């Protein structure tokens, strides 16, 4: 996340945040992954309730995206696959 600009009006707010992300996705080719890098702006409307501030609506304005196929060393494959498993982040 980058810089954020926000405007608060009572129990509602509007925020715009610059974002940069990198993700790695599997492919059908053993040892080859898809590296995706992107930049954009999150545009959020927030509301304050009993449990604090919550995002009520979020949009992403995409600035750029690149996709590259990358080869991974055999020694690193098991660790990378583990981080990409659906349940590994829970």
């Amino acid at each position: 996340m980058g810089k954020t600009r926000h405007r608060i009006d009572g129990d509602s707010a509007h925020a715009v945040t610059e974002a940069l992300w990198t993700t790695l996705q599997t492919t059908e080719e053993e040892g080859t992954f898809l590296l995706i890098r992107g930049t954009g702006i999150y545009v959020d409307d927030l509301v304050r309730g009993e449990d604090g501030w919550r995002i009520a609506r979020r949009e992403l304005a995409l600035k750029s995206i690149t996709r590259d196929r990358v080869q991974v060393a055999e020694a690193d494959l098991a660790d990378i696959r583990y981080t990409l498993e659906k349940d590994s982040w829970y």
Side-chain angles (χ1 to χ4, degrees):
M1 297 303 214
K3 61 185 173 184
T4 298
R5 294 193 59 143
H6 62 276
R7 181 180 64 248
I8 300 173
D9 183 14
D11 289 333
S12 63
H14 180 78
V16 178
T17 306
E18 289 187 24
L20 166 69
W21 65 92
T22 302
T23 63
L24 196 62
Q25 297 179 0
T26 59
T27 67
E28 295 176 6
E29 196 175 323
E30 181 69 22
T32 300
F33 294 86
L34 185 61
L35 175 64
I36 301 174
R37 291 179 294 258
T39 62
I41 300 173
Y42 285 107
V43 180
D44 297 325
D45 289 323
L46 300 101
V47 294
R48 181 171 33 198
E50 290 180 14
D51 295 327
W53 288 98
R54 299 290 184 261
I55 296 172
R57 185 182 66 84
R58 169 170 272 183
E59 290 185 22
L60 172 62
L62 190 61
K63 287 183 176 180
S64 69
I65 193 161
T66 61
R67 294 175 178 89
D68 297 303
R69 296 177 81 76
V70 294
Q71 294 289 321
V72 175
E74 182 69 32
D76 298 326
L77 281 176
D79 291 332
I80 291 172
R81 281 194 192 105
Y82 177 75
T83 65
L84 297 174
E85 289 176 6
K86 180 180 174 188
D87 295 332
S88 67
W89 296 101
Y90 297 96

